[in-house]
Amino acid sequence: MSVWALGINHHTAPLDLRGRFSFAVDQMGPALHGLRQAFAHHPEAAIISTCNRTEVYCASDRVDIDHTLAWLARAGNVPEHALRDYTYTLQNDTAARHAFRVASGLDSMVLGEAQILGQMKDAVRAAEAAGSLGTTLNQLFQRSFSVAKLVRSSTEIGAHSISMAAAAVRLASQLFEDLSQIRILFVGAGEMIELASTHFAARNPKQMVIANRTMERGEALAKRFGASVMKLADIPERLHEFDAVVSCTASTLPIIGLGAVERALKKRRHRPMFMVDLAVPRDIEPEVKALNDAYLYTVDDLATVVQTGQANRQAAVAQAEAIIDEGVRNFMHWLQQRDPNYGAVSLIRQVHQRADEWREAEIAKARKRLAKGDDVEAVLEALSRGLTQKMLHGTMKELQSTEMSRQIQAAETVQRLFLNKQR
């Protein structure tokens, strides 16, 4: 069995391209089914899809990167040749190392952030539900979770990390002198909005309102922070009421358009509006960024903010990488052991190694004798005799065994290996 991964992330692809390959929770089952059907041998499969990355993991006895790329290109309605420039492909140990680094927060925009671990666990549960998670991928991901836990418990990798939500508060503080005097609209009610609400609530803003497609979920979140709720359909008419907007939904189309923001700014008499779009695909039309009084930030725009202070954690990164290396070695050993030929390959390697040791020992003896001036023919004779004795010692010992069964078994083996005239 082999493991391979193909993906795009915030290092390799721009935000709008990543948005084309975002898979919502309810899309994951059909996507995994379609992915496996794209191969004749139906490999194990799992998909990790977040605002920063979309990665396809597969396991099979046949590695097929091209089919994986072709399927992903079709899923995002992007020409295969165009997508290829933005993807990375990994196999076996490099795929395992990447999965372990992602789970540990080493490949995140926010170094050491913990949210990705929960997202990977969600991806594994989705693959299990879809029937696409086999023994190999399950081992890969379970080991990645164990490595991530060890990294977080034994290093300082997550210490003082700045989350996207905290970064949004920091940027808002640069625009508004006193956050306790602003009104904030949160669009969505998922994990990112919950985090953002928590950070902004700590600054005691004048008003917090949550707009969500499902009112019940919005009300549950609003109750925690003493916020109020509103319908998504009311956003265009009420947008002007808010000084800050933080949006993160699973919508495939923008929820807040350029025209709505222009009208809101006019009603606000061009008082500034702070906007954060944490969604992939975008919730807020990108043209809004060009408006004079709108300050729009995307997940990629927050990258500079979240990098602050990361230099202090580089020593922790080195510790984490060492833990990951050990995890990769253990996984590859497990993967190799599942190969029916692994035992034979390992034994062949050991036989070659022992034979090389014998050869080197006899050559060393021969060189010493030659250096003393001994006769070349005598030295060669001794070398060949010594090497032959070493190679036959174990065989002769077995043939002379006092146990009849071992002697018979050894005789049969010797007959087959050394005395077979058909060789």
Side-chain angles (χ1 to χ4, degrees), residues 1-4 36 41-45 58-63 91-93 132-139 331-342:
M1 291 290 285
S2 293
V3 175
W4 71 94
R36 299 186 74 206
H41 51 288
H42 308 318
E44 298 178 28
C58 295
S60 174
D61 57 353
R62 284 170 282 173
V63 176
Q91 292 185 43
N92 293 329
D93 59 336
S132 65
L133 190 74
T135 303
T136 302
L137 283 189
N138 186 54
Q139 274 288 321
F331 174 73
M332 290 306 299
H333 180 67
W334 176 85
L335 193 64
Q336 289 167 347
Q337 284 184 314
R338 297 191 70 218
D339 185 340
N341 295 319
Y342 174 73

Side-chain angles (χ1 to χ4, degrees), residues 284-304:
I284 303 173
E285 288 187 341
E287 292 79 8
V288 168
K289 200 166 191 174
L291 299 177
N292 289 332
D293 301 300
Y295 296 83
L296 173 62
Y297 297 89
T298 67
V299 287
D300 287 358
D301 294 326
L302 294 176
T304 303

